[in-house]
Amino acid sequence: KNVLDSFSPKLPFGIAQAGKAFRNEITKGNFIFRTLEFNLAEFEYFFNPKKEKWEDQFKYWQDQMWEWTTKTLNINAKNLRWRPHTDEERSHYSKRTEDIEYKFPFGFKELYGLAYRTDFDLKNHTEKSGVDLTYFDQEANERFIPHVIEPTFGISRTFLALLVESYSQDGDRKYLKLDPKLAPYKAAVFPLLANKPDLVKKAKSIYDDLKKDFNVDFDDRGNIGKRYFSQDEIGTPYCITIDFQTLEDDTVTIRDRDNTRQERVKVTEINAFLQKSLS
């Protein structure tokens, strides 16, 4: 009602929210898959069932959810499946419910849900509260209760799925093969040696320039090998090392997280390199 009164949107339209949710149960042993407190996001997508077939709306959201999961999050489709709810498990207010399940180490489990809730919610709110929650269609000159399609996303479970999907091991080296656009840091900047003022000064200058456009880290702890491994473990796609050659020809070494290959790049071209690699 607040949205209708404030914005007067025309059907179909959606309202999205994200926040904390709670359940009165907890299952130990599956890490953060099922906890007492968790993060959830959902759409309430309202439409006129006389103008839009609910089956078409349901299929549209299925496609959108699948594309977001496989393209935006870059989760392998081989580890995903749609599973329809049986008549016995489907909520009484839902005409159709399906889950996107992810193949966790403990088996296929729900990641996201999609439900066609008909007009159950608004109708019951209206009956119990006495507040009119109908929608007035000016073109048809009629008032009715909209129907709802509800896509729901487990944010905590998304985090867990991404950890499972990205964890990789190459000998003693462990790394998170996160899609670069999802990585917390897009690059890390290293001076080869922390006790050489010229290297540190140059590294700080490059870091200060890059952080205007990217979320980057500055790291001068310990030896260079440990720094590489540390960034690998948190999924940083690129490590940029400032060495003595940098002071001579203004080039740096950029190391790729996934294959550990290194290449020399001019300082003036680092930004363009990251823009292209992260797109």
Side-chain angles (χ1 to χ4, degrees):
K1 188 176 187 306
N2 287 341
V3 173
L4 286 178
D5 291 345
S6 301
F7 301 102
S8 301
K10 290 186 177 181
L11 289 175
F13 68 89
I15 302 175
Q17 63 176 349
K20 293 288 185 182
F22 304 87
R23 60 165 68 89
N24 60 359
E25 61 176 314
I26 183 170
T27 302
K28 297 180 179 180
N30 292 342
F31 192 39
I32 60 170
F33 178 78
R34 184 177 291 277
T35 54
L36 188 67
E37 178 182 315
F38 58 102
N39 287 290
L40 194 67
E42 67 182 14
F43 289 98
E44 300 296 324
Y45 190 73
F46 303 95
F47 66 98
N48 184 348
K50 292 182 179 180
K51 292 185 176 181
E52 294 93 21
K53 291 184 178 179
W54 74 263
E55 293 91 345
D56 294 339
Q57 297 296 322
F58 198 94
K59 179 64 167 57
Y60 168 81
W61 280 105
Q62 274 192 310
D63 293 342
Q64 291 295 308
M65 293 172 72
W66 189 263
E67 182 175 350
W68 188 75
T69 308
T70 58
K71 299 292 178 60
T72 303
L73 298 182
N74 205 25
I75 292 178
N76 193 330
K78 293 181 179 179
N79 295 325
L80 298 165
R81 70 182 184 188
W82 279 104
R83 186 186 70 82
H85 281 208
T86 64
D87 291 341
E88 290 74 20
E89 68 177 313
R90 191 177 65 251
S91 300
H92 67 279
Y93 52 76
S94 172
K95 190 167 184 177
R96 179 179 175 186
T97 300
E98 294 200 25
D99 293 337
I100 290 183
E101 294 188 331
Y102 177 76
K103 189 177 181 181
F104 292 97
F106 40 85
F108 273 102
K109 298 291 183 181
E110 178 189 357
L111 188 62
Y112 308 134
L114 180 62
Y116 170 41
R117 302 173 68 99
T118 66
D119 60 355
F120 177 86
D121 300 298
L122 293 180
K123 185 167 65 176
N124 276 270
H125 281 306
T126 297
E127 292 175 357
K128 301 297 189 298
S129 69
V131 177
D132 183 9
L133 297 179
T134 57
Y135 175 89
F136 180 67
D137 187 333
Q138 293 181 334
E139 293 181 3
N141 194 31
E142 67 173 335
R143 186 174 290 278
F144 61 92
I145 294 178
H147 283 217
V148 172
I149 297 282
E150 182 189 60
T152 305
F153 304 82
I155 303 303
S156 302
R157 290 183 179 182
T158 300
F159 175 72
L160 178 57
L162 288 172
L163 287 180
V164 171
E165 188 81 3
S166 303
Y167 179 83
S168 305
Q169 190 163 353
D170 181 12
D172 293 332
R173 188 173 76 95
K174 301 178 180 67
Y175 60 104
L176 279 183
K177 199 171 183 179
L178 288 169
D179 187 297
K181 64 177 172 286
L182 301 176
Y185 288 123
K186 307 309 178 187
V189 179
F190 305 159
L192 180 64
L193 299 171
N195 61 353
K196 298 297 181 182
D198 289 348
L199 294 179
V200 174
K201 181 180 179 181
K202 184 67 173 177
K204 283 284 189 181
S205 175
I206 293 172
Y207 167 74
D208 288 339
D209 183 60
L210 290 177
K211 72 179 182 181
K212 298 173 184 176
D213 299 308
F214 308 98
N215 195 24
V216 292
D217 188 24
F218 183 87
D219 194 351
D220 61 359
R221 307 163 298 159
N223 65 56
I224 195 75
K226 289 182 178 179
R227 283 183 248 167
Y228 282 149
F229 276 29
S230 177
Q231 294 295 331
D232 288 344
E233 289 175 351
I234 63 172
T236 305
Y238 300 103
C239 291
I240 302 167
T241 301
I242 288 75
D243 53 25
F244 292 106
Q245 186 177 336
T246 307
L247 303 179
E248 296 175 5
D249 61 10
D250 216 34
T251 64
V252 298
T253 297
I254 298 184
R255 172 186 178 272
D256 185 287
R257 174 199 65 203
D258 297 339
N259 55 35
T260 71
R261 285 199 294 265
Q262 301 182 25
E263 61 178 295
R264 300 295 299 192
V265 175
K266 288 184 177 295
V267 170
T268 54
E269 297 175 357
I270 298 175
N271 194 295
F273 175 93
L274 292 179
Q275 291 282 6
K276 181 179 179 181
S277 301
L278 298 172
S279 62

